Amino acid sequence: MRILVTNDDGIESVGLRSLTEALCEKHEVHVIAPVAQRSAAGHGISVHSPLPYKELAPHRCACRIAVDGMPADCVKLAVLYFIRDRLPDLVLSGINEGSNVGSDVIYSGTVSAALEGAYMGVRSVAISNVDRTFLEGYAMAADMLCRSLDALMTADLPDYTALNINYPSVPHRGVAVVPVGRNRYTDRFYEVGEGLLQIGGEPLDDESGTDTDVSLVRRGFVTVSPVTLDMNDYKVLEKLKEDLTL
């Protein structure tokens, strides 16, 4: 299988290395990822300036290209330029260093890269290790993903939909296909210097009683959630047609 690997933690991140090392055993792997940390970049792309890139030693991969851009940029560059003549069968974004559950998906460059792949017509999966200090989790997540590729490739997904997978902070006790939950934070800004503000905060909402990615991953399950670029609220749409007069 021809696989494009990208992420938002940078091309030298431990999660990306763990994933590519596992995949290169049996697959043709193209790594095109940001040159440095781009976490919480969302679905931004670079439209106002050229994108610098550098080809790196492949290390058993078909290619390794570091891009000074966003995660979604990397997927666009791969599909439209670097491997346009031999398109990937699958886009894998990760393994992210930290969780991408609940409301995190709004900001996640990892999830956005997978959604960009889906937007461009390629089966796409984002995968995260929820506890970046659980170093064994990267290898465990990579092994689980490699063993699940056939199932992930044949799952019935509509257009513009990707899968968001999170690996728990312990050896997993099972796999749960669940919706994305909600996890707000006590966000606040701190002054860290003259004219400098830094955001910080802790998780606020507890969804321990609901079956969502937020709660199930805390209980030791691998969570699999379909996410989509279709941002329509169809129930509200139909009600607005009846109720809204401007």
Side-chain angles (χ1 to χ4, degrees):
M1 189 184 305
R2 187 174 305 111
I3 300 174
L4 169 64
V5 174
T6 191
N7 71 351
D8 72 358
D9 291 312
I11 198 165
E12 300 294 350
S13 73
V14 60
L16 187 145
R17 290 199 307 270
S18 297
L19 182 57
T20 55
E21 286 170 6
L23 291 169
C24 285
E25 294 289 337
K26 296 182 179 179
H27 302 281
E28 177 187 328
V29 179
H30 299 257
V31 178
I32 302 175
V35 67
Q37 180 62 252
R38 296 290 188 272
S39 288
H43 210 126
I45 58 173
S46 304
V47 296
H48 297 296
S49 59
L51 283 165
Y53 72 92
K54 183 177 181 180
E55 296 186 28
L56 307 178
H59 298 322
R60 297 172 60 210
C61 300
C63 71
R64 287 177 72 237
I65 299 174
V67 178
D68 192 0
M70 301 300 176
D73 285 327
C74 296
V75 178
K76 277 193 177 297
L77 283 169
V79 174
L80 298 178
Y81 187 78
F82 289 118
I83 53 176
R84 63 184 182 275
D85 296 327
R86 303 183 75 228
L87 293 179
D89 302 301
L90 177 67
V91 172
L92 292 178
S93 182
I95 299 168
N96 190 66
E97 298 178 9
S99 66
N100 276 309
V101 296
S103 309
D104 298 342
V105 301
I106 299 171
Y107 309 103
S108 170
T110 300
V111 175
S112 293
L115 284 170
E116 183 65 29
Y119 172 68
M120 304 198 77
V122 183
R123 178 63 57 107
S124 299
V125 176
I127 183 164
S128 304
N129 179 22
V130 303
D131 182 356
R132 69 189 66 209
T133 66
F134 179 42
L135 299 182
E136 297 91 338
Y138 296 107
M140 292 177 181
D143 178 68
M144 180 213 66
L145 193 64
C146 288
R147 289 187 284 104
S148 304
L149 285 180
D150 289 342
L152 292 172
M153 288 299 296
T154 57
D156 187 16
L157 296 178
D159 293 342
Y160 307 133
T161 297
L163 293 177
N164 183 38
I165 298 176
N166 280 271
Y167 196 90
S169 57
V170 294
H172 76 284
R173 54 184 292 196
V175 177
V177 179
V178 290
V180 171
R182 300 177 183 176
N183 58 332
R184 299 181 63 194
Y185 295 85
T186 58
D187 288 340
R188 61 177 62 89
F189 284 93
Y190 302 88
E191 291 190 9
V192 293
E194 185 176 354
L196 294 173
L197 291 167
Q198 175 69 52
I199 195 169
E202 299 296 330
L204 181 63
D205 292 346
D206 180 7
E207 292 200 341
S208 58
T210 60
D211 288 339
T212 67
D213 59 348
V214 176
S215 61
L216 267 294
V217 79
R218 290 174 183 166
R219 287 146 59 184
F221 287 88
V222 172
T223 61
V224 182
S225 304
V227 291
T228 180
L229 287 169
D230 184 351
M231 300 181 72
N232 292 291
D233 187 325
Y234 291 100
K235 290 182 179 180
V236 174
L237 179 66
E238 293 308 312
K239 185 169 176 51
L240 279 177
K241 288 179 180 179
E242 300 174 0
D243 298 345
L244 185 62
T245 302
L246 297 178

